[in-house]
Amino acid sequence: MPTIQFRHEHLEAMIAHAREAAPAECCGLVGGFSGSEARSLYTLRNVSAEPEVRYEAAPEDLFTAQRLMRERGEELLAIYHSHPRATDPTPSETDIRQAFYPSATYLIIGLGGGGPVVRAFNISEREHRWNPVEYEIVDE
């Protein structure tokens, strides 16, 4: 799987979304090209019954984001969400169980320390495991 390249503004926007949603978890999608070049962020509403400890994207937001990606010729590169109290975020059991897009990279934003921490993972719901992966920050 290729390393995803984000612009600095992408990470700043994801972190801002996480801070805005706290103490609830935020969620969103990253669309892009060539399996690695991030282009667009799609913020989604978290409609989970327990938003402080899990996320569930609003179905209509998810549908709209996927339609926009298709119209723009983008593919789903990553899914992001936050763990507002985590200092070193890693996938929870729920994250692993609900990792329905095995080709996507999963980004988790931790807000529990002195500053935000963004970690990336490949998650296999079928194999019930996760592996940390690297991402790059590039500025155009």
Side-chain angles (χ1 to χ4, degrees), residues 6 40-41 54 64 67-68 112:
F6 294 98
S40 305
L41 292 184
R54 54 184 44 96
T64 299
R67 181 180 49 76
L68 286 170

Side-chain angles (χ1 to χ4, degrees), residues 1-6 33-38 75-78 102-107 120-122 132-136:
M1 188 175 282
T3 301
I4 296 180
Q5 298 175 334
F6 294 98
F33 305 106
S34 306
S36 65
E37 184 184 344
E75 58 190 88
L76 175 63
L77 297 182
S103 63
T105 295
Y106 287 79
L107 299 162
F121 304 90
N122 289 335
V133 296
E134 298 294 320
Y135 61 87
E136 292 180 85

Side-chain angles (χ1 to χ4, degrees), residues 113-131:
V117 175
V118 181
R119 300 276 188 253
F121 304 90
N122 289 335
I123 303 176
S124 173
E125 182 253 348
R126 187 176 351 156
E127 296 173 15
H128 201 76
R129 65 177 175 80
W130 54 269
N131 294 308

Side-chain angles (χ1 to χ4, degrees), residues 55 79 94-104 106 123 125:
Y55 74 96
I79 299 167
T94 302
D95 294 339
I96 295 168
R97 256 193 333 274
Q98 296 180 343
F100 302 127
Y101 298 90
S103 63
Y106 287 79
I123 303 176
E125 182 253 348

Side-chain angles (χ1 to χ4, degrees), residues 45-123:
R45 287 175 297 130
N46 181 356
V47 296
S48 170
E50 300 175 286
E52 290 82 17
V53 294
R54 54 184 44 96
Y55 74 96
E56 178 184 339
E60 59 274 18
D61 292 0
L62 193 55
F63 176 79
T64 299
Q66 291 171 329
R67 181 180 49 76
L68 286 170
M69 274 190 249
R70 278 192 307 276
E71 289 173 2
R72 295 172 178 170
E74 296 174 343
E75 58 190 88
L76 175 63
L77 297 182
I79 299 167
Y80 74 88
H81 75 282
S82 61
H83 287 180
R85 290 160 296 289
T87 56
D88 186 21
T90 58
S92 68
E93 284 297 314
T94 302
D95 294 339
I96 295 168
R97 256 193 333 274
Q98 296 180 343
F100 302 127
Y101 298 90
S103 63
T105 295
Y106 287 79
L107 299 162
I108 305 176
I109 304 152
L111 298 176
V117 175
V118 181
R119 300 276 188 253
F121 304 90
N122 289 335
I123 303 176

